[in-house]
Amino acid sequence: MAEKNKNLSRREFLKTSGIAAGTLVGGGLIGGLVGYNAKSTDTKPAEPSGGGGKDDFRINRGLMFFQNPAEFKVLAHATERIFPEDDLGPGAMGLGVPYFIDNQLAGNYGSNSREYMQGPFYKGEPTQGYQTPLTRAELFRTGIAVMQEEANKRFDKDFTEIEDEQKDEILTDLQKDKITMKGTDSSFFFKLLRSATLEGAYADPIYNGNVDMAAWKMKDFPGHQMSYINEIEDEDFKKIDPKSISSMQH
Amino acid sequence: MAKTMDKVDVVTVGVGWTGGIVAAECAKAGLKVRGLERGKDRGTKDFTMIHDEYRYAVRYDLMQDLSKETITFRNTRKQRALPMRQLGSFLLGEGLGGAGTHWNGMVFRFFPYDFEIKTMTDKRYGKDKLSSDYLLRDWGITYDELEPYYDKFEKTVGVSGEDKNPFAGKRSSDYPTPPMKKSPLLKKFEKTSTDLGYHPYMIPSANLSEQYENPDGSTINACQYCGFCERFGCEYGAKSSPEVTVLPTAKKTGNYDVVFDANVVEILKQGDKVTGVKYVDTQTSEEFVQPADIVVLTSYVMNNAKLLMVSEIGEQYDPDTGKGSLGRNYCYQLGPGATGYYDEQMNTFMGAGALGMLFDDLNADNFDHSDLDFIHGSMLMLTQTGKRPIETNPVPSDVPTWGAEFKKASIQNYTRTLSVGGQAASMPHKENYLSLDSTYKDKYGVPLLSLTYNFTDQDRNLHKYLTQKAVEVSEKMGAKKTEAAAPIEDYDIVPYQSTHNTGGTIMGADPETSVVNNYLQHWDMDNLFVVGAGNFSHNSGRNPTGTVGALAYRCADGILQYHKKGGSLV
């Protein structure tokens, strides 16, 4: 990757992002608030599919939030650059991450229903966190529009049609606050996009990402297991077939 | 027009560990107790589908709904305080059990040094060890006086531990249950720290090593090491929480009830006594008055302070003059540490909230600070709490934060990193305090609490020193690459750090500088008690809940004495 397109390393990122110094015990970059309510898990969902890989992304499931397929596809392509398909396994598209984000934006997450959204609003210091009146749903729509505009402006094409390096250039500029966005810093939107991508990849499949638990399999995370009391003292590494919460019988 | 409820002997504002302990002790003694809880009922039956990282750890399903109430924050008085619009740095509780539902369950005692920190620091290092901007104070109680209450809390919880810490204060009895299982990762840390001359021991845990019946007849089950502990409730009833211990104890007396959806907005008073509290039903917005002979503030640090402020009880601390005790000595904690990258895969996805080992050789005043530019210290520990995939994406600092390289490295390192971490003590500073916000209000029209807080030189020096020590341990453990925690600069409320907030309603021997006496009884109002980590005059280098539990038992003792004879207890 050319130097100018290289996105921020973790070290640079720490300096500008306010990730806590120190060894975190958990603790995501963008703490969110409560999102989705429980879905019923007593019926097995139809076989989901991520909608194909990066070269052939087709919308093959219903959408709850996005109305315009073109908008949704810009989101899909952006998430795929953040978490791309490789020899280890599927990327964001193959994992259904765009559907996860769509569903989340249609719910409590998108409407910030458990966040303090009363005015007055002031920009504040970086250490004071989220200070925009825009909800996450509005931030995503604005961010997607900006990515599309930048692609049009810089390359005379849609975001979904430009080369991977060109997409990375736009994403990196968002991350480095080099693009103006309404109501927020572009870096703030980028953090949200990055977090949501990882959340969709690795959340339980009941949230409509992590198709076939493929992301868990890549990481060797066994998902929902009742107990490790019989393995916790063993020396050898345990490869355990993952399970979703939806596998539970009540 | 507010509706008036039937009068009770004792009302508690909030039903978590402190509210539960006070309720259990008072109800057992025959007093009529009512708990007002702004959140919902909940318990083990609600946690069968808890292994959901996204819902509970990322979206904070069990925690405070900030749309109703939050705090405002600024680093310094020069800045404009702005609302904490989403949770981050610390995770506030809501609902039955409070943060006691979703804690990790590390149950420590503070050191004898902590309670007499001012006297002992002056004696050993002279009066000028820290500048007078640091509001270092003795607590008005000694370790020995608090010991029986620590003992009582540990027996209620059933703490699983081992009495092997040479730096601990004297114990009147051993831990109720043996320590948890020692995984290979813990053994690795144990061997290394022993080789370095430190004294490691198992973390005292509220995730129990075996089934246990506590003195009140509650049963806590054996931990299954499932890896979903902090931020989650326990589906096995194996993590001691108010819901499986003190609350059933209080309920079975027949002298206790809880009103849910009851958000207290004011403490009512007449002359030098409180008469009860006013609360709002969060579902209907109706107002109620709950009369009581004794009012106990048992909510979190933030709301205990806020309720006193909005009810105009006590004098607000003023950083310009140093006068006033309410809101002063707000402290936090620091996270020194180091992350080691290894070649072999480890079972890092297994674990329990309090599964780990630590040593205290670099904590409190257990080492000589004569040539150091700070006081106190931190535990250094290795925990195995169960790494989950959304929030565990460790990559070395020269790796990008997204894209192909990030994906590869974060997947590779998910099962191949171990952190040696601390919880470094936090000293009070005159510029770090709680007050009422003048602009922002909660859903009920009450001003938000405002936090003015930044790290100090003491913090930065301590963090740097302990981080270096953590790096040494990590390197000696055989990590192929070790990265130190970045030095701390300004406190940032965005990323998660610790839910160990302390101070604001501190205890002491002197009414001028403390809010409550050593029975946690308010200096100005004899029938008002305020208990929790807000009582801490500084924060130690370990988890606070053990001390919170001990203070709650002390408080209950004070309430029962007051109920008999009235007046000030000191």
Side-chain angles (χ1 to χ4, degrees):
Chain A
M1 206 191 278
E3 195 50 44
K4 76 175 167 72
N5 289 348
K6 191 162 165 91
N7 77 62
L8 292 181
S9 71
R10 192 176 66 93
R11 185 183 297 118
E12 294 165 311
F13 193 57
L14 287 177
K15 276 187 213 146
T16 59
S17 69
I19 284 198
T23 43
L24 292 180
V25 183
L29 167 57
I30 301 275
L33 282 181
V34 167
Y36 235 51
N37 284 326
K39 290 179 192 282
S40 162
T41 54
D42 54 7
T43 53
K44 222 171 157 40
E47 267 319 296
S49 134
K54 63 183 171 66
D55 299 325
D56 179 33
F57 186 71
R58 297 189 183 284
I59 302 176
N60 58 6
R61 290 197 241 161
L63 300 180
M64 298 181 188
F65 175 75
F66 288 96
Q67 297 160 320
N68 176 332
E71 229 181 325
F72 181 69
K73 286 186 177 180
V74 170
L75 171 71
H77 281 256
T79 60
E80 181 70 19
R81 292 313 300 149
I82 289 170
F83 198 84
E85 191 175 347
D86 62 8
D87 55 342
L88 296 172
M93 284 179 182
L95 290 167
V97 167
Y99 299 101
F100 164 89
I101 295 175
D102 169 82
N103 294 181
Q104 290 299 306
L105 291 175
N108 291 342
Y109 170 87
S111 54
N112 295 43
S113 65
R114 287 179 46 110
E115 262 134 345
Y116 188 83
M117 298 300 282
Q118 294 181 37
F121 286 86
Y122 301 96
K123 189 166 173 2
E125 300 295 325
T127 57
Q128 294 175 299
Y130 198 116
Q131 294 299 340
T132 168
L134 274 66
T135 61
R136 294 190 188 93
E138 289 166 330
L139 280 166
F140 267 87
R141 293 209 60 196
T142 306
I144 289 165
V146 163
M147 289 190 278
Q148 186 70 303
E149 280 163 29
E150 290 295 322
N152 294 166
K153 201 164 67 186
R154 297 181 192 197
F155 310 111
D156 209 18
K157 284 183 181 163
D158 283 348
F159 187 84
T160 55
E161 294 166 334
I162 58 180
E163 299 297 321
D164 287 348
E165 291 70 26
Q166 296 171 323
K167 292 175 193 165
D168 290 353
E169 183 188 304
I170 292 172
L171 288 168
T172 302
D173 285 352
L174 282 174
Q175 188 181 17
K176 293 182 177 172
D177 268 334
K178 289 182 177 170
I179 295 173
T180 308
M181 264 180 78
K182 179 182 147 188
T184 183
D185 292 337
S186 66
S187 61
F188 186 74
F189 164 67
F190 182 83
K191 280 182 206 171
L192 210 52
L193 175 66
R194 178 189 177 271
S195 298
T197 302
L198 296 177
E199 286 158 13
Y202 291 118
D204 190 289
I206 63 169
Y207 295 101
N208 291 329
N210 192 10
V211 167
D212 297 333
M213 298 182 280
W216 286 356
K217 289 171 190 166
M218 287 188 258
K219 254 189 178 172
D220 289 327
F221 173 68
H224 160 73
Q225 303 287 331
M226 298 305 287
S227 171
Y228 297 120
I229 195 164
N230 298 320
E231 292 91 7
I232 190 75
E233 291 173 295
D234 292 357
E235 291 285 344
D236 54 322
F237 181 71
K238 304 289 177 189
K239 271 201 189 266
I240 301 167
D241 282 339
K243 276 193 196 149
S244 160
I245 303 166
S246 59
S247 67
M248 294 173 80
Q249 303 289 317
H250 291 283
Chain B
M1 189 60 204
K3 182 181 164 195
T4 301
M5 307 285 286
D6 57 312
K7 190 174 176 188
V8 293
D9 295 317
V10 179
V11 66
T12 78
V13 179
V15 185
W17 270 124
T18 54
I21 288 167
V22 166
E25 295 306 294
C26 294
K28 281 193 290 186
L31 277 61
K32 288 280 176 208
V33 186
R34 178 161 294 155
L36 300 178
E37 170 54 54
R38 65 183 171 176
K40 306 280 181 204
D41 193 2
R42 65 183 177 198
T44 307
K45 66 188 181 310
D46 301 303
F47 304 141
T48 54
M49 291 178 276
I50 202 80
H51 291 181
D52 183 340
E53 181 187 13
Y54 184 62
R55 179 174 177 181
Y56 296 103
V58 180
R59 297 266 82 82
Y60 310 132
D61 201 71
L62 297 175
M63 292 152 196
Q64 183 171 322
D65 178 350
L66 295 194
S67 72
K68 297 191 175 81
E69 181 178 14
T70 184
I71 62 164
T72 66
F73 161 71
R74 59 187 174 179
N75 285 119
T76 71
R77 284 192 277 157
K78 290 192 193 78
Q79 293 172 357
R80 184 201 307 266
L82 293 175
M84 175 176 80
R85 296 187 178 277
Q86 55 183 12
L87 286 169
S89 175
F90 43 86
L91 301 174
L92 303 166
E94 179 174 298
L96 198 71
T101 301
H102 47 77
W103 66 319
N104 258 332
M106 300 182 184
V107 193
F108 287 98
R109 299 177 175 201
F110 282 3
F111 299 91
Y113 158 82
D114 280 311
F115 301 98
E116 298 167 273
I117 191 168
K118 176 79 176 121
T119 303
M120 289 171 105
T121 302
D122 289 356
K123 193 169 144 190
R124 187 167 175 184
Y125 305 109
K127 284 201 184 307
D128 304 327
K129 181 69 181 169
L130 286 187
S131 86
S132 59
D133 288 349
Y134 291 92
L135 310 177
L136 210 58
R137 299 172 58 268
D138 292 353
W139 288 35
I141 198 165
T142 62
Y143 172 85
D144 289 342
E145 286 172 305
L146 203 56
E147 202 283 337
Y149 303 104
Y150 272 128
D151 187 64
K152 198 161 181 176
F153 183 61
E154 288 169 2
K155 288 188 167 91
T156 296
V157 166
V159 180
S160 300
E162 56 186 7
D163 188 5
K164 284 190 183 170
N165 179 16
F167 303 101
K170 277 204 177 50
R171 303 178 57 88
S172 55
S173 56
D174 201 351
Y175 287 100
T177 54
M180 299 184 83
K181 291 179 184 295
K182 204 177 279 181
S183 70
L185 306 184
L186 271 54
K187 287 179 184 161
K188 193 197 272 273
F189 174 81
E190 180 182 36
K191 182 178 183 324
T192 301
S193 44
T194 304
D195 290 348
L196 286 166
Y198 299 124
H199 299 83
Y201 62 101
M202 292 289 287
I203 292 176
S205 168
N207 330 133
L208 300 201
S209 57
E210 56 187 41
Q211 195 184 64
Y212 166 82
E213 185 181 313
N214 79 9
D216 293 317
S218 293
T219 298
I220 302 117
N221 294 317
C223 173
Q224 298 300 305
Y225 303 87
C226 75
F228 286 84
C229 215
E230 91 277 357
R231 307 190 185 186
F232 305 87
C234 182
E235 73 270 36
Y236 295 108
K239 171 167 68 171
S240 279
S241 66
E243 305 96 292
V244 300
T245 57
V246 289
L247 295 173
T249 297
K251 280 190 184 123
K252 72 185 179 193
T253 63
N255 294 324
Y256 180 57
D257 62 5
V258 178
V259 181
F260 293 99
D261 306 308
N263 190 97
V264 175
V265 290
E266 192 184 348
I267 306 160
L268 304 169
K269 57 189 186 186
Q270 203 165 21
D272 62 357
K273 290 276 189 296
V274 294
T275 59
V277 295
K278 187 177 2 172
Y279 69 89
V280 176
D281 181 316
T282 60
Q283 292 182 309
T284 63
S285 301
E286 283 174 285
E287 284 195 341
F288 294 85
V289 168
Q290 175 61 63
D293 287 333
I294 297 167
V295 174
V296 196
L297 302 190
T298 54
S299 66
Y300 197 60
V301 170
M302 308 294 176
N303 273 333
N304 279 3
K306 170 174 160 169
L307 275 172
L308 292 171
M309 289 172 192
V310 299
S311 310
E312 296 178 344
I313 297 171
E315 189 184 350
Q316 172 67 43
Y317 168 72
D318 178 349
D320 276 326
T321 61
K323 281 198 164 37
S325 59
L326 179 56
R328 61 179 277 162
N329 287 49
Y330 174 85
C331 292
Y332 196 42
Q333 267 175 344
L334 325 163
T339 299
Y341 293 86
Y342 294 79
D343 284 327
E344 70 277 12
Q345 285 193 284
M346 297 169 282
N347 295 316
T348 51
F349 53 84
M350 302 178 187
L355 180 64
M357 293 192 78
L358 78 149
F359 57 81
D360 283 318
D361 301 67
L362 301 170
N363 210 345
D365 205 27
N366 304 334
F367 59 115
D368 186 8
H369 292 71
S370 299
D371 300 326
L372 298 170
D373 49 5
F374 62 88
I375 64 166
H376 217 303
S378 176
M379 54 149 74
L380 281 181
M381 61 180 172
L382 185 126
T383 58
Q384 191 176 349
T385 56
K387 296 282 188 202
R388 292 169 295 267
I390 298 172
E391 298 204 306
T392 309
N393 290 289
V395 295
S397 57
D398 54 355
V399 170
T401 49
W402 54 277
E405 211 183 328
F406 167 81
K407 181 186 175 187
K408 269 209 169 24
S410 58
I411 288 173
Q412 161 78 11
N413 292 317
Y414 168 66
T415 50
R416 293 180 177 86
T417 52
L418 292 177
S419 292
V420 175
Q423 303 176 40
S426 172
M427 296 302 118
H429 188 276
K430 74 179 185 66
E431 294 294 332
N432 291 334
Y433 64 99
L434 303 173
S435 57
L436 273 188
D437 193 84
S438 54
T439 305
Y440 295 94
K441 292 191 163 56
D442 66 19
K443 193 187 165 189
Y444 316 101
V446 182
L448 297 186
L449 184 80
S450 190
L451 166 64
T452 304
Y453 182 71
N454 208 354
F455 295 134
T456 63
D457 288 343
Q458 148 78 29
D459 294 330
R460 292 182 190 103
N461 301 340
L462 169 56
H463 182 274
K464 186 177 162 191
Y465 182 86
L466 262 297
T467 293
Q468 188 46 46
K469 297 292 182 186
V471 168
E472 287 166 19
V473 176
S474 178
E475 284 174 345
K476 197 157 170 71
M477 277 173 67
K480 62 174 186 186
K481 177 184 181 127
T482 291
E483 289 202 339
I488 52 173
E489 292 165 15
D490 291 330
Y491 169 66
D492 181 348
I493 206 160
V494 178
Y496 184 77
Q497 286 145 85
S498 164
T499 308
H500 299 165
N501 319 70
T502 63
T505 55
I506 62 173
M507 63 192 291
D510 167 21
E512 289 303 307
T513 55
S514 61
V515 173
V516 291
N517 64 30
N518 69 16
Y519 279 100
L520 302 317
Q521 178 185 35
H522 200 280
W523 285 113
D524 302 349
M525 305 260 173
D526 289 343
N527 63 337
L528 173 64
F529 291 78
V530 185
V531 62
N535 302 139
F536 299 5
S537 195
H538 69 275
N539 202 357
S540 187
R542 52 206 340 185
N543 308 62
T545 306
T547 304
V548 171
L551 290 177
Y553 277 109
R554 169 85 180 170
C555 179
D557 202 355
I559 292 166
L560 294 176
Q561 288 184 42
Y562 174 81
H563 183 72
K564 280 200 184 80
K565 61 178 192 187
S568 174
L569 297 165
V570 296

